[in-house]
Amino acid sequence: MKIYQNKKSILKFATVLMSCFATTLLWAQDKGADVSVKISKDSSDTWYAQPWVWIVGGAVFIIILVAILRGGGNKN
């Protein structure tokens, strides 16, 4: 029983040590407050930003779905 308790305490210590190590690594990734973000809008839109593409795509999807669900049945 004493060996089991020793392994358990070593496991707890290793967990705390790894948690401290992970926290240190995450703090090392901080750049500080000097972050600048530039957003520019091009005059050309991408194809998926057009609403008619989504309407046509939805219509094609519904047609394919209906064809799959109706097709192949035996009718006597």
Side-chain angles (χ1 to χ4, degrees):
M1 188 70 169
K2 191 163 188 121
I3 295 172
Y4 178 72
Q5 291 287 4
N6 192 18
K7 285 183 181 181
K8 198 172 185 180
S9 63
I10 290 173
L11 182 62
K12 285 182 182 179
F13 177 73
T15 303
V16 169
L17 187 66
M18 291 301 291
S19 297
C20 291
F21 181 68
T23 304
T24 305
L25 284 176
L26 290 175
W27 277 341
Q29 300 297 319
D30 189 20
K31 288 187 176 183
D34 59 345
V35 177
S36 63
V37 177
K38 294 181 181 178
I39 299 174
S40 63
K41 175 78 170 129
D42 293 334
S43 62
S44 64
D45 287 330
T46 53
W47 64 271
Y48 52 83
Q50 303 295 331
W52 66 268
V53 173
W54 291 101
I55 294 170
V56 170
V60 169
F61 176 75
I62 290 173
I63 290 171
I64 291 173
L65 189 65
V66 167
I68 289 172
L69 293 176
R70 284 190 65 201
N74 266 345
K75 295 185 179 180
N76 291 332

